[in-house]
Amino acid sequence: MEAIEIREARAEDAKALLTYLRRIGGESDNLTFDNQGLPFTEEEEARFLESVHRDSKSIQLIALRNGTIIADGSISGFQRRMSHRAVLGISVVREEWNHGIGSMLMERLIDFSRNSGIELINLEVRADNDSAIHLYEKYGFRSIGTSPAYFKIGDRYFDFELMVLDLRTDRYRSRRLTEDDSAHLLRYQDINAATIDRWIEEGWEWGKPISHDDYVKAQNGEWDVLLTPTKPVPHEWLGDLRGKKILGLASGGGQQMPVFAALGAECTVLDYASRQIASERMVAEREGYQIRIIQGDMIRPLPFENEEFDLIFHPVSNCYVEDVGPIWKECHRVLKHGGYLIAGTDHYINYIVDSDEKRIVNSLPFNPLRNPEQMQQLQEEDAGVQFSHSLEEQIGGQLEAGFRLLNIYEDTNGEGRLHGLGIPTFIAMRSLKE
């Protein structure tokens, strides 16, 4: 399955967007228009998109799969005494409903609003559109009233719920970014994606997809997968995977998900790096199995429904994230009761020593967004932007999220002085959502 691309709509998208609007208008009675779409010419739509692009309080996003628009989302801002407010709209083609695309758009629209000084977001939704209302409530929207007989289709009237999201609340105020922080956030995530893509081009071990022969071996029961550099995950941690729904969280690259697919699992993978996504898609197409592939950022709310997965497989990767607590909470939310989180994590030892692993040179926590000297170290080593995390954050964070820790093992770097001395620098954990 092709990965999903989300980007801002441009004037040259006008024709495709009008075609998309005609399609969704014919698929749903939840919109203000039918299969005739909106009464705009291609030129008028292009001018509209240009005006949205120039408006600092507005944005029009489109989601594409294989170059075709499958969803759109918008924030329409106001001026002067209403410049703190905006209106949100989201639509998705029917065949993509319940695939998490609405959540992906919602995250980006809320982030845009928060960083554009918007404080209140309003929307209107048909009162019987339960799935849409559930999505909006998940992100903090609340109903402030009902507009009776808002639609009339034939002889039937339909009420609409009026909903609002208050970005001044603690939930979003704590996530509000200053201009400098926003630049850091965007920069460090983009730096990491670009760095990993470059490492893969240079032959990075964790970006090499499995071979066809290894896939066939997995089908025949001969397989291993890694969470950490050297120790394979015990097979009993995973159990019988036939028919199980597995989320590979930051697990792109075509290494683990193909094995799980060969063992009969129904797989979804979310990863931020483009080349990891491309490798995942390449292996799936080569071997002929289905997988849901999402290019997304795990620091955002995951674009999945509550209790959707039987198992989450999360290799070492949260070292590229400043705050791991929300990730554990989101994992708990999307796992079914009785489901397992299997995670590998880097802990702080690698971050206190120099590149030769001979001297202790850094204080903790290692956070290059707060310590320019640590950022310089990473830049000199072409190591992206990484963060240390304590055991309180890694293990305690899972417990706080509601997990029960079942199993744990340690692992080394697989090379270097610390490895030679037998000093573990990674942990792997298996936790249960009861």
Side-chain angles (χ1 to χ4, degrees):
M1 181 177 290
E2 292 293 327
I4 296 170
E5 174 192 7
I6 296 180
R7 61 170 173 80
E8 186 174 358
R10 302 182 289 261
E12 53 266 33
D13 297 310
K15 182 177 181 180
L17 194 50
L18 290 173
T19 300
Y20 163 80
L21 294 174
R22 288 191 293 271
R23 176 181 178 182
I24 61 170
E27 292 180 340
S28 170
D29 288 335
N30 297 324
L31 305 169
T32 60
F33 52 89
D34 57 17
N35 60 4
Q36 298 299 309
L38 296 178
F40 299 144
T41 65
E42 184 178 334
E43 292 75 18
E44 290 169 337
E45 180 70 7
R47 287 196 296 270
F48 168 75
L49 292 174
E50 288 176 349
S51 69
V52 171
H53 181 70
R54 292 192 299 267
D55 184 352
S56 63
K57 297 282 187 178
S58 301
I59 192 170
Q60 176 81 41
L61 297 178
I62 52 176
L64 304 99
R65 192 191 295 280
N66 198 25
T68 299
I69 300 175
I70 57 171
D72 81 324
S74 64
I75 287 289
S76 302
F78 299 99
Q79 301 299 320
R80 294 178 287 279
R81 292 181 177 179
M82 293 173 61
S83 62
H84 66 296
R85 294 182 52 239
V87 174
L88 178 145
I90 289 177
S91 65
V92 183
V93 297
R94 180 180 291 274
E95 68 181 27
E96 297 284 355
W97 288 1
N98 302 315
H99 288 177
I101 298 172
S103 294
M104 296 169 68
L105 287 168
M106 181 68 76
E107 294 162 20
R108 300 200 183 195
L109 294 173
I110 291 175
D111 281 346
F112 171 84
S113 300
R114 198 174 65 249
N115 295 324
S116 299
I118 293 169
E119 299 175 353
L120 297 167
I121 304 176
N122 294 94
L123 61 83
E124 300 162 344
V125 57
R126 233 175 80 162
D128 59 352
N129 190 350
D130 293 335
S131 60
I133 291 173
H134 172 73
L135 170 67
Y136 301 143
E137 289 177 339
K138 183 175 77 171
Y139 285 94
F141 281 86
R142 59 184 177 86
S143 178
I144 55 174
T146 302
S147 180
Y150 193 85
F151 268 15
K152 184 179 181 181
I153 303 176
D155 294 328
R156 295 186 62 193
Y157 295 93
F158 296 90
D159 298 344
F160 266 58
E161 291 296 307
L162 310 179
M163 305 186 76
V164 64
L165 174 63
D166 190 341
L167 296 177
R168 301 170 300 174
T169 59
D170 289 342
R171 172 177 179 178
Y172 287 100
R173 185 184 292 114
S174 63
R175 294 171 61 193
R176 182 180 295 279
L177 306 175
T178 66
E179 183 176 351
D180 288 342
D181 287 339
S182 177
H184 273 312
L185 174 63
L186 295 173
R187 190 159 57 244
Y188 99 70
Q189 290 300 87
D190 290 343
I191 286 173
N192 283 336
T195 299
I196 289 172
D197 284 346
R198 186 171 62 255
W199 290 346
I200 293 171
E201 291 179 0
E202 296 169 354
W204 189 44
E205 180 180 0
W206 306 112
K208 295 178 181 178
I210 69 169
S211 67
H212 171 68
D213 289 344
D214 286 335
Y215 180 79
V216 173
K217 288 179 181 178
Q219 289 181 309
N220 294 325
E222 184 181 346
W223 60 276
D224 278 311
V225 290
L226 295 170
L227 282 168
T228 57
T230 72
K231 291 185 179 180
V233 177
H235 288 200
E236 57 267 26
W237 280 26
L238 296 160
D240 185 356
L241 296 182
R242 287 175 295 182
K244 297 294 179 65
K245 292 186 176 182
I246 295 182
L247 169 62
L249 183 60
S251 186
Q255 295 190 346
Q256 299 96 12
M257 293 300 106
V259 171
F260 300 150
L263 296 173
E266 182 180 333
C267 297
T268 297
V269 65
L270 182 145
D271 203 289
Y272 195 59
S274 297
R275 288 192 177 274
Q276 294 288 68
I277 288 291
S279 294
E280 202 70 55
R281 183 167 58 249
M282 181 274 292
V283 177
E285 291 175 351
R286 184 189 70 200
E287 307 300 343
Y289 61 82
Q290 294 294 314
I291 181 171
R292 180 166 49 153
I293 300 174
I294 298 174
Q295 184 169 10
D297 189 347
M298 66 180 174
I299 72 172
R300 308 300 185 197
L302 297 177
F304 308 114
E305 297 298 320
N306 295 341
E307 301 181 17
E308 185 171 340
F309 298 100
D310 298 293
L311 186 148
I312 296 175
F313 193 86
H314 180 42
V316 173
S317 55
N318 69 21
C319 55
Y320 299 104
V321 171
E322 186 176 16
D323 183 6
V324 300
I327 296 174
W328 300 135
K329 292 176 181 177
E330 279 295 282
C331 286
H332 191 271
R333 179 183 67 80
V334 303
L335 266 178
K336 298 176 182 178
H337 288 282
Y340 296 97
L341 168 63
I342 298 178
T345 64
D346 193 336
H347 59 64
Y348 48 81
I349 292 179
N350 277 322
Y351 295 97
I352 63 175
V353 297
D354 62 8
S355 58
D356 294 326
E357 301 176 357
K358 293 180 178 180
R359 296 182 302 118
I360 295 177
V361 296
N362 285 315
S363 61
L364 293 175
F366 188 94
N367 185 332
L369 301 188
R370 302 288 177 255
N371 187 321
E373 292 182 359
Q374 292 175 351
M375 179 67 83
Q376 184 176 353
Q377 289 178 40
L378 293 171
Q379 291 172 344
E380 291 173 352
E381 296 170 8
D382 188 28
V385 182
Q386 300 188 35
F387 306 86
S388 71
H389 296 297
S390 67
L391 296 181
E392 291 180 8
E393 293 175 275
Q394 301 286 27
I395 299 176
Q398 290 188 35
L399 299 178
E400 183 180 347
F403 287 103
R404 178 160 65 93
L405 182 63
L406 300 178
N407 307 94
I408 189 169
Y409 64 81
E410 294 180 301
D411 199 2
T412 69
N413 288 332
E415 60 183 4
R417 187 166 183 265
L418 294 177
H419 169 71
L421 294 172
I423 297 175
T425 50
F426 294 88
I427 53 177
M429 297 164 283
R430 177 174 176 255
S431 301
L432 172 69
K433 177 179 177 178
E434 296 182 299

